[in-house]
Amino acid sequence: MEYAERFDEVHDALYRWDVWAAAYLIGGGCSDDSFMDFRAGVIALGRQWYERVAAAPDSLAGHPDVIQAAGVHDEVLFYEDVNYAASGAFERITGDADAFYEAWRGFRKADPANGHAVDMGEEFDFDDDGEMSRRLPRLAALILG
């Protein structure tokens, strides 16, 4: 439960327009569901990359997988399965796929911060190449040319 709680904290911290814009560039578009998977992928990169992206999403222009996939709009860093690591581990331990969600609901009731509003920063147009180049210059140069 503590892993799931920490995962949610770092996952939620990436719920920002600038991070979404990076995902949009890298993936050639990015729905809200895909953005969940992208944030999970950033977390899966490890602490060093996570902290870089949290501080400056444009730093992803230096990640080897992003460089390799540039221009092909491959869904590199979009790792859906990472979202379910806690429930998968819980199932392996208990043998019950549904037990995690019941336990999680009980665990979350004790969290007074549950359901707080998230500040996503300033919204902007992801389809405006000039705006994307201004806000994410390295990624835009790499992906948009």
Side-chain angles (χ1 to χ4, degrees), residues 31 46 58 64 101 107 139:
S31 69
D58 198 38
Y101 298 102
F107 184 83
L139 265 175

Side-chain angles (χ1 to χ4, degrees), residues 103-124:
W104 182 242
R105 281 190 297 274
F107 184 83
R108 294 302 285 174
K109 285 181 186 175
D111 181 5
N114 189 16
H116 65 281
V118 175
D119 179 8
M120 292 183 64
E122 182 183 352
E123 187 175 1
F124 56 98

Side-chain angles (χ1 to χ4, degrees), residues 47-115:
R47 180 182 215 144
Q48 186 179 39
W49 273 103
Y50 174 86
E51 288 176 351
R52 284 182 191 175
V53 174
D58 198 38
S59 66
L60 282 167
H63 192 278
D65 292 344
V66 174
I67 293 168
Q68 184 177 0
V72 296
H73 299 303
D74 188 10
E75 288 197 340
V76 63
L77 304 185
F78 291 76
Y79 300 135
E80 180 180 8
D81 290 346
V82 176
N83 289 307
Y84 309 108
S87 61
F90 198 88
E91 179 181 355
R92 286 186 67 176
I93 292 167
T94 66
D96 183 350
D98 298 323
F100 172 78
Y101 298 102
E102 184 178 328
W104 182 242
R105 281 190 297 274
F107 184 83
R108 294 302 285 174
K109 285 181 186 175
D111 181 5
N114 189 16

Side-chain angles (χ1 to χ4, degrees), residues 21 25 122-137 140 144:
L25 281 172
E122 182 183 352
E123 187 175 1
F124 56 98
D125 184 359
F126 297 168
D127 290 317
D128 182 335
D129 289 354
E131 187 68 14
M132 294 295 264
S133 293
R134 185 176 76 74
R135 293 181 184 258
L136 301 165
L144 298 175

